[in-house]
Amino acid sequence: MSWNPFKRNDAPRRSVISKSAEREFERDVKKLEELDECGKKLNKDTKRCIENSGTLVKTELKLSQDLTQSSLYQTDEQFKMLTDDWAHAITRLDLLTQEKNAVHTKTMVEPLKKFSSIFPGMRAAVKKRESSLQEYTRCQEKVDRYRERERTGPNIVKLEQSKKALTVAKEDFETQNQILREDLPRLYEGRIDFFEPCFQALIKTQVTYFTEAHKIYSELSGKMTSEKDLLLDDSYENQLDNKLSEIRSLSIIADD
């Protein structure tokens, strides 16, 4: 269940501030609650992106390592060459991925974590304002009750005491309310200046990463193409045809 600073179990019947002012304040708080939730989701997804990109390159590296344990790697010089080239490319990509993820952590994960640390203090301030508002309302109701009573000596004394308590409660509430009415919109508007450099760093890092990754794979493709061209003579093609014919003749794939 989400936190609701405006749920009042013992809400007084009378409000000392206008409903429109309170609704506006509630909208400011709600926007910040949504912003906090968005920041948490973004942080979670960024961590997942970092984890998945690292897992992907590690998996590809494991594939290349597995191939080095195959009998074909041990007996076929050309296959060995291709596998080694691939393993070397993936090793370079692994280092590049680690650098990218480190930058993402510094420019996205850590700032988002700091940003989220603001909201517990905001909630505490909103809760304190709510308590102050309730106290202000109770003091106002108390003053109203004594004004309606018979003007006896004791009642007049209690009325004056209630008025003093009301003045203190009103000043306390108005101080807290004024601070929050100024700071909450300012905090919300500040999200752009805070997040924009993070997103710019994210995009620049992605551009650098994929540009370098493209170079790595392009070099690998060039090597493999040139090595493949050396092999694609008539004898090699004949060997492939013979192997395919042998495979087709196996009973496990023969036609019914």
Side-chain angles (χ1 to χ4, degrees):
M1 182 180 295
S2 60
W3 175 71
N4 184 357
F6 304 105
K7 184 178 180 181
R8 303 167 188 170
N9 296 324
D10 58 343
R13 288 171 298 179
R14 182 172 184 260
S15 176
V16 291
I17 60 175
S18 68
K19 291 183 178 180
S20 60
E22 191 67 353
R23 282 196 297 267
E24 185 177 349
F25 180 77
E26 290 176 6
R27 284 194 294 268
D28 288 340
V29 174
K30 185 178 180 181
K31 288 194 296 184
L32 286 170
E33 285 295 320
E34 292 173 349
L35 179 61
D36 183 29
E37 193 63 28
C38 180
K40 289 178 180 177
K41 290 180 179 179
L42 185 60
N43 195 16
K44 182 179 179 181
D45 289 340
T46 301
K47 289 180 179 179
R48 185 180 301 159
C49 179
I50 291 173
E51 180 181 348
N52 289 343
S53 64
T55 300
L56 176 62
V57 72
K58 293 294 184 184
T59 300
E60 195 168 357
L61 186 60
K62 181 65 166 56
L63 286 173
S64 67
Q65 293 171 346
D66 289 342
L67 289 177
T68 64
Q69 307 301 317
S70 66
S71 59
L72 187 58
Y73 180 86
Q74 307 298 330
T75 58
D76 190 300
E77 186 63 29
Q78 185 60 35
F79 183 81
K80 181 178 184 299
M81 187 182 302
L82 292 174
T83 302
D84 288 344
D85 288 342
W86 185 33
H88 178 66
I90 299 304
T91 299
R92 292 171 58 194
L93 187 65
D94 184 30
L95 294 174
L96 187 64
T97 302
Q98 292 180 38
E99 293 176 2
K100 172 183 71 72
N101 289 345
V103 174
H104 282 351
T105 299
K106 185 176 181 180
T107 58
M108 285 293 292
V109 175
E110 293 177 0
L112 284 169
K113 183 178 179 180
K114 290 180 180 179
F115 188 75
S116 294
S117 68
I118 296 172
F119 292 93
M122 181 209 77
R123 293 188 183 94
V126 172
K127 187 176 181 180
K128 185 177 180 181
R129 173 196 177 274
E130 174 61 20
S131 297
S132 179
L133 175 58
Q134 291 184 16
E135 177 63 20
Y136 177 21
T137 304
R138 282 192 290 268
C139 288
Q140 182 64 64
E141 289 181 334
K142 195 172 182 180
V143 168
D144 293 342
R145 285 197 301 270
Y146 281 117
R147 280 175 175 166
E148 294 172 357
R149 293 182 181 181
E150 184 181 356
R151 292 185 63 81
T152 63
N155 285 343
I156 292 175
V157 171
K158 290 180 180 180
L159 175 60
E160 293 303 315
Q161 291 175 342
S162 298
K163 285 182 178 180
K164 290 179 181 180
L166 175 61
T167 300
V168 173
K170 181 180 180 182
E171 291 177 353
D172 180 63
F173 169 74
E174 289 181 344
T175 298
Q176 294 185 48
N177 186 60
Q178 182 65 27
I179 292 173
L180 285 174
R181 291 303 303 274
E182 293 176 357
D183 287 354
L184 294 186
R186 190 179 302 152
L187 174 59
Y188 184 76
E189 293 302 323
R191 74 197 188 284
I192 298 174
D193 291 336
F194 184 88
F195 284 111
E196 191 173 79
C198 297
F199 290 132
Q200 288 179 347
L202 174 67
I203 293 170
K204 289 179 180 179
T205 304
Q206 291 287 74
V207 170
T208 300
Y209 173 79
F210 285 108
T211 299
E212 292 301 315
H214 180 267
K215 290 180 181 179
I216 291 173
Y217 278 110
S218 295
E219 292 174 6
L220 178 62
S221 177
K223 286 183 179 180
M224 288 186 170
T225 300
S226 60
E227 291 164 358
K228 175 182 164 185
D229 290 341
L230 293 175
L231 288 171
L232 287 181
D233 53 16
D234 291 340
S235 62
Y236 185 73
E237 291 182 358
N238 289 335
Q239 290 178 27
L240 286 179
D241 290 338
N242 291 336
K243 289 295 182 182
L244 287 174
S245 297
E246 290 176 7
I247 292 172
R248 292 192 188 100
S249 66
L250 295 175
S251 60
I252 59 174
I253 62 171
D255 294 335
D256 294 335

